Amino acid sequence: MHDYVGGMNAPASPAQQPATTPSQRQRKPDWIRVKAPTSPGYAETRKLMRELNLHTVCEEAACPNIGECWTKKHATVMILGDTCTRACAFCNVKTGMPRPVDLLEPEHTAIAAAKMGLSHIVITSVDRDDLPDGGASQFVKVINALRRETPQTTIEILTPDFRNKPESAVAAIVDARPDVYNHNLETVPRLYPTIRPGARYYASLRLLESVKRRDPSIFTKSGIMLGLGEERMEVHQVMDDMRSADIDFMTMGQYLQPTPKHAKVIDFVTPQAFDAYAQIARAKGFLQVASSPLTRSSYHAGDDFEQMRAAREVQLARVKAD
């Protein structure tokens, strides 16, 4: 099945591979290249984020879609600072001891959403293992501020796993009623020890399952990166695990090595392979699937949300008719 997704039988542990120098790093195929951001819209979005002292995952994680999204004045706000307490092998966000939580961050986030005229906003954060609730209360404050300032904006959150935190942390966020609760599995279980060592695959699944159990009306979402050495059947198993947890929306995108110190790209998965994975995911029952080399959790999130909401309405209509 090598033609289906090339390189799926590659070595199991990318992080064990020797660090690459710039000259040794794989050349990106044409389908993964993007233009440098230069538009006026990009500059305006960047200026607004700086004025309000807000961080974005677009910048901190070196997202390849930043030019397109910021030109359209779409940005994913990263709350709880710009420093993560974990050090995942794939992530470009800096690691260390974070600063105190910014008390003005919720209001500033709501102001940014209102000024940008966002119909849909994505809020994510760094891991804050140093906080008693992992930063859950800040998510709640941001959701509440958005509801007050720009009530027409639908809210999607992308949270950490809140590992070793009280169950009440996630419960408080769910009770604040975001429209979408996203938490990424990131990769297949076998690769967790090297790619996501601070997390646990089944704990992340249980988190998403608990969200749906507490409030079935909230859409749940999760995603994985491809190109880290995962095998085809492992990806299929992740799909099955997500559906067992009643996850509504799955995203799949190409992993890109941020720096030579990060996990190595084992394979550049072709657009055709991403399409094939998407067909399988849809057949397994996801309401929405986003699968392409440049797909990221918040890429086209607003449009995807509208499609997912419409798909649920069709699904409920069918159940009612039966």
Side-chain angles (χ1 to χ4, degrees), residues 62-74:
C63 179
N65 303 315
I66 188 170
E68 177 186 345
C69 293
W70 281 27
T71 294
K72 298 176 180 177
K73 295 189 177 180
H74 294 171

Side-chain angles (χ1 to χ4, degrees), residues 1-6 8 31 226 232 235-236 239 252 267-280 291-293:
M1 298 299 293
H2 185 79
D3 289 338
Y4 184 80
V5 180
M8 286 303 171
W31 64 75
L226 301 183
R232 180 173 58 89
V235 176
H236 292 178
M239 294 178 188
M252 289 171 275
D267 185 57
F268 284 109
V269 181
T270 66
Q272 293 77 15
F274 274 103
D275 288 344
Y277 274 136
Q279 290 177 21
I280 292 168
S291 177
S292 75

Side-chain angles (χ1 to χ4, degrees), residues 5-71:
V5 180
M8 286 303 171
N9 294 317
S13 302
Q16 295 174 358
Q17 304 299 316
T20 54
T21 64
S23 61
Q24 292 174 321
R25 292 169 76 184
Q26 282 183 274
R27 180 179 173 84
K28 293 178 184 177
D30 291 340
W31 64 75
I32 207 74
R33 294 178 195 169
V34 293
K35 294 181 180 179
T38 57
S39 72
Y42 170 86
E44 290 172 16
T45 301
R46 188 175 189 278
K47 182 173 180 287
L48 180 61
M49 294 299 116
R50 295 295 81 78
E51 287 175 349
L52 293 171
N53 193 33
L54 294 174
H55 303 286
T56 68
V57 75
C58 321
E59 295 173 287
E60 306 299 338
C63 179
N65 303 315
I66 188 170
E68 177 186 345
C69 293
W70 281 27
T71 294

